[in-house]
């Protein structure tokens, strides 16, 4: 049996950020990852957007950590030379009936500390984006895009430079409280069973987080959240997009609507839609994009870009959001929970804006573990 100070479960963007924060604070850290490389699930299947923090309920963890994490992420990218661009976005109302919702988003954004967000007229929006159709818009200059893989590689390098070891192709089979900590049984890709004793376990396994928590004896099972999975598909644009800003419609239930995002090469993509999955076998999730979904995409996109050419959408990729609120209910806040154990911290429901907030999420987790002071520089 090997003993270690901290075990982080999951090597997605949040797990890597948490491992980095703990290791740089002087803790001995190992990361256990079931995939063969970093960021193979939710972290590599998203819009790669740096969110400004407009939409989330004021005072929520999503609102606070998004704004803090956004600023920290821009600074980190500048320092490390990670590809990113603060391109800004427009949130558009495409009918007079949506103006009330647009104004409510503006009020929410200002309450969240995003005072730079402004309401602009349809004419002003078209001056920024001549191909755009809307009756009014919000301009968010602090929204941006990032090379998320380069970012994760940098986090991995930071963590490993501070002594972190990462075990890929290794999955948790069970755990229990023992010897003043938590004993985890880990199965390697070769089928070997390894026992790891940790003073502290941080569960950052995304889609798997509730299931892994349920595997650890000694946690209060009644407080472990239920997992819900929302698949979102993306379509790529097969021609050059006439936009330089990200374009977002009014949010819909469960997400931010089918929006237009750009990568650092200028390639446009649209998504995600929402498909709630009944099958909770995470390992069997089908990430293929159904080409027939394009029909609905054309209708939603043409509400703000009427000149979208026929036949220009091509299936790109899909991701699944690790939700802890069921369909037709308000999206749950990020959840950090110990389930009554001084040796465990679980991170649940870390969907958008998890990428943006990742550095702030890591520092918040470390603070909850008493590894960093409550107030510190991110």
């Amino acid at each position: 049996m090997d003993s270690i100070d901290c075990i982080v479960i999951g090597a997605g963007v949040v797990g890597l950020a948490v491992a980095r924060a703990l290791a740089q604070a002087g803790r001995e850290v190992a990361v256990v990852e079931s995939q063969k490389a970093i960021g193979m699930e939710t972290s590599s299947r998203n819009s790669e957007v740096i969110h400004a923090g407009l939409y989330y309920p004021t005072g929520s963890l999503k609102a606070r950590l998004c704004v803090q994490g956004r600023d920290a992420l821009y600074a980190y990218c500048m320092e490390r030379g990670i590809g990113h661009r603060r391109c800004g976005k427009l949130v558009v109302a495409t009918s007079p009936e949506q103006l009330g919702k647009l104004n409510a988003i503006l009020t929410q954004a200002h309450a969240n500390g995003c005072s730079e967000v402004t309401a602009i007229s349809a004419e002003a929006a078209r001056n920024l984006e001549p191909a755009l159709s809307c009756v009014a818009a919000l301009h968010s200059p602090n929204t941006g895009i990032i090379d998320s893989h380069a970012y994760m590689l940098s986090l991995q390098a930071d963590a490993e430079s501070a002594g972190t070891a990462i075990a890929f192709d290794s999955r948790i089979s069970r755990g229990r409280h023992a010897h003043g900590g938590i004993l985890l049984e880990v199965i390697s890709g070769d089928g070997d069973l390894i026992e790891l004793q940790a003073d502290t376990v941080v569960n950052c396994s995304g889609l798997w987080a509730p299931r892994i928590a349920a595997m650890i004896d000694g946690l209060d099972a009644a407080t472990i959240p239920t997992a819900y999975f929302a698949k979102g598909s993306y379509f790529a644009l097969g021609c050059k997009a006439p936009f330089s800003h990200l374009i977002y419609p009014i949010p819909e239930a469960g997400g931010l609507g089918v929006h237009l995002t750009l990568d650092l090469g200028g390639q446009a993509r649209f998504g995600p839609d929402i498909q709630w999955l009944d099958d909770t076998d995470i390992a069997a999730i089908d990430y293929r994009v159904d080409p027939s979904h394009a029909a609905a995409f054309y209708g939603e996109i043409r509400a703000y870009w009427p000149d979208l050419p026929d036949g220009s959408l091509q299936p790109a990729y899909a991701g699944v959001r690790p939700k802890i609120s069921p369909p037709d209910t308000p999206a749950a806040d990020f959840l950090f929970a110990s389930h009554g154990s001084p040796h465990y911290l679980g991170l649940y429901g870390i969907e958008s804006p998890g990428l943006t907030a990742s550095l702030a999420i890591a520092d918040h987790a470390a603070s909850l573990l008493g590894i960093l002071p409550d107030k510190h520089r991110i």
Side-chain angles (χ1 to χ4, degrees), residues 53 56-70 112 333 357 360 364 378:
Y56 316 108
T58 303
S60 66
L61 286 172
K62 283 184 176 180
R64 293 192 289 111
L65 298 181
C66 183
V67 172
Q68 294 170 3
R70 173 202 73 194
N112 289 352
D333 199 3
H364 184 66
I378 291 177

Side-chain angles (χ1 to χ4, degrees), residues 274-287:
I274 297 176
Q275 177 189 356
W276 291 91
L277 303 181
D278 294 329
D279 185 0
T280 56
D281 184 358
I282 309 167
I285 288 175
D286 184 355
Y287 285 102

Side-chain angles (χ1 to χ4, degrees), residues 1 100 115 210:
M1 181 178 67
S115 58

Side-chain angles (χ1 to χ4, degrees), residues 319-330:
V320 176
R321 303 170 206 170
K323 289 183 171 288
I324 53 172
S325 50
D328 302 319
T329 63

Side-chain angles (χ1 to χ4, degrees), residues 91-100 102-103 119-126 132-138 250 303-304:
V91 183
V92 299
T94 57
S95 70
E97 291 76 20
Q98 293 183 337
L99 291 175
L102 194 71
N103 289 332
I120 61 175
S121 66
E123 181 181 6
R126 283 192 295 272
L132 183 64
S133 176
C134 65
V135 297
L138 302 180
I250 297 297
Y304 56 82

Side-chain angles (χ1 to χ4, degrees), residues 180-202:
I182 294 177
L183 178 64
L184 294 178
E185 293 183 1
V186 180
I187 299 176
S188 72
D190 295 329
D192 295 330
L193 178 64
I194 303 166
E195 291 188 332
L196 296 176
Q197 174 71 28
D199 293 334
T200 302
V201 170
V202 187

Side-chain angles (χ1 to χ4, degrees), residues 232-254:
S233 295
Y234 292 82
F235 282 79
L237 184 65
C239 57
K240 182 174 175 57
F243 297 98
S244 59
H245 294 74
L246 311 186
I247 310 297
Y248 277 59
I250 297 297
E252 60 184 20

